[in-house]
C-alpha cells in the first residue's frame, strides 16, 4: 500500500554565484590585480557588483582630502547596490585587494533579476539586512570603544572569528595603513597595538597574518 506520509523536500541553499552566471546581458566578469579601481567616488552609479573571489575595500575621501576605509568586503559580497535607489553617483571608491574577480551587473539587469527570481531577491535582502546590522555595530564601536578595541574587533571580523578553527589567516595581508583608515587612528598607533598583540600571543605575523581567538580578550576587557 502506498504510504500516506508526506515527505517534505529539503530546501536547497540558493547558489547566488551559479544563478548570476546564467544572466544573459547586462553582466560583465572583471579580473583585477592588487590595488586596482573598480569604480571611483563621484562616478555614475549604474551597476551592482558581486565578488566571485578576492577582497575589495571601499574608501571615502573627504573634501579636505582625508581618506577612510569604510568596509573590506570578501568573496560572496555584493557592493554598489545603492544604484538601485535614487543615488546617482558613487559616494565611495572600490579598490581590489590582491587578485580579485567580480561580476558587474548593470542596474537594469539587476532589477530584472530581483523581479523575476524570488529566491535571489530573498538572498539579496538577507545580505543587505545582515550588512546593515554590521554597519550599526561598526558605528557603535567607533563611537564608544578605544582604538585598541576597534583594531582587535576589525582583525577578528576579517579572520571570521567564530569558525571551528582557533586560528585564521588573513590573505592578502592587510597593511597597517589600511587598518588605521578602517578604525580611524594613526598608522603609528596601529603599529604599536599590533606589536603588543603579537607579544601577548594574540596574533602571529610569520608567513602572513594569523589571528588567534584569544584576541577576543582585548575586546571583552573593560
Amino acid at each position: 500500500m502506498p504510504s500516506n506520509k508526506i515527505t517534505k523536500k529539503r530546501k536547497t541553499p540558493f547558489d547566488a554565484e551559479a544563478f548570476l552566471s546564467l544572466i544573459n546581458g547586462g553582466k560583465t566578469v572583471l579580473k583585477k590585480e592588487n590595488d586596482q579601481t573598480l569604480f571611483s567616488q563621484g562616478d555614475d552609479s549604474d551597476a551592482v557588483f558581486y565578488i566571485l573571489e578576492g577582497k575589495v575595500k571601499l574608501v571615502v575621501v573627504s573634501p579636505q582630502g582625508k581618506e577612510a576605509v569604510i568596509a573590506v568586503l570578501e568573496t560572496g559580497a555584493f557592493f554598489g547596490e545603492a544604484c538601485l535607489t535614487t543615488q546617482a553617483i558613487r559616494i565611495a571608491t572600490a579598490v581590489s585587494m590582491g587578485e580579485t574577480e567580480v561580476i558587474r551587473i548593470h542596474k537594469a539587469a539587476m532589477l530584472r533579476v530581483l523581479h523575476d527570481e524570488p529566491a535571489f531577491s530573498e538572498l539579496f535582502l538577507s545580505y543587505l539586512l545582515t550588512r546593515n546590522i554590521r554597519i550599526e555595530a561598526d558605528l557603535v564601536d567607533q563611537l564608544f570603544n578605544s582604538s585598541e578595541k576597534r583594531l582587535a574587533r576589525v582583525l577578528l571580523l576579517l579572520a571570521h572569528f567564530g569558525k571551528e578553527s582557533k586560528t585564521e589567516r588573513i590573505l592578502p595581508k592587510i597593511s597597517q595603513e589600511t587598518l588605521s583608515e578602517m578604525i580611524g587612528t594613526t598608522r603609528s598607533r596601529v603599529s604599536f597595538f599590533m606589536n603588543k598583540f603579537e607579544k601577548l600571543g594574540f596574533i602571529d605575523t610569520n608567513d602572513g597574518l594569523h589571528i588567534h581567538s584569544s584576541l577576543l580578550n582585548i575586546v571583552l576587557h573593560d
Side-chain angles (χ1 to χ4, degrees), residues 208-222:
L209 177 58
H210 294 74
I211 310 300
H212 300 273
S213 58
S214 56
L215 182 61
L216 186 62
N217 293 329
I218 295 293
V219 178
L220 299 178
H221 181 69
D222 291 327

Side-chain angles (χ1 to χ4, degrees), residues 32-36 38 53-59 69 71-74 94-101 158 170-175 178-179 182:
K32 297 291 184 178
E33 300 298 324
N34 183 50
D35 203 32
Q36 289 191 307
L38 290 154
E53 186 175 355
K55 293 184 180 182
V56 172
K57 65 178 178 180
L58 300 181
V59 183
V69 176
V72 172
L73 307 174
E74 300 179 314
V95 182
S96 60
M97 301 177 70
E99 293 184 356
T100 303
E101 184 175 0
L158 291 172
I170 296 178
L171 287 174
K173 185 175 179 180
I174 294 179
S175 70
T178 297
L179 289 171
M182 291 180 70

Side-chain angles (χ1 to χ4, degrees), residues 37-195:
T37 300
L38 290 154
F39 58 74
S40 298
Q41 188 172 332
D43 285 353
D44 290 340
S45 183
D46 58 0
V48 178
F49 293 77
Y50 179 82
I51 304 176
L52 291 170
E53 186 175 355
K55 293 184 180 182
V56 172
K57 65 178 178 180
L58 300 181
V59 183
V60 174
V61 181
S62 73
Q64 293 75 31
K66 184 177 181 180
E67 291 189 5
V69 176
I70 59 174
V72 172
L73 307 174
E74 300 179 314
T75 301
F78 292 94
F79 62 99
E81 69 280 350
C83 72
L84 302 176
T85 66
T86 56
Q87 187 183 95
I89 61 173
R90 302 291 188 190
I91 63 171
T93 297
V95 182
S96 60
M97 301 177 70
E99 293 184 356
T100 303
E101 184 175 0
V102 303
I103 296 179
R104 181 187 185 277
I105 311 156
H106 192 272
K107 176 180 178 179
M110 188 66 177
L111 289 171
R112 185 171 64 249
V113 171
L114 291 171
H115 180 269
D116 295 342
E117 181 52 60
F120 180 77
S121 298
E122 183 179 346
L123 177 142
F124 187 64
L125 178 59
S126 176
Y127 171 80
L128 293 181
L129 291 173
T130 300
R131 202 171 78 185
N132 186 60
I133 292 171
R134 163 72 185 278
I135 290 172
E136 289 180 351
D138 286 346
L139 178 58
V140 171
D141 184 50
Q142 192 74 23
L143 290 173
F144 298 111
N145 288 332
S146 66
S147 54
E148 182 180 21
K149 282 189 177 182
R150 295 201 304 272
L151 177 59
R153 178 176 176 270
V154 164
L155 292 173
L156 288 166
L157 288 170
L158 291 172
H160 306 289
F161 173 74
K163 289 184 178 181
E164 292 182 3
S165 57
K166 295 183 179 180
T167 304
E168 290 290 338
R169 184 179 182 185
I170 296 178
L171 287 174
K173 185 175 179 180
I174 294 179
S175 70
Q176 291 186 359
E177 182 179 2
T178 297
L179 289 171
S180 68
E181 292 171 351
M182 291 180 70
I183 66 173
T185 191
T186 63
R187 185 183 179 281
S188 61
R189 292 295 287 166
V190 169
S191 177
F192 172 80
F193 291 133
M194 292 292 281
N195 289 332

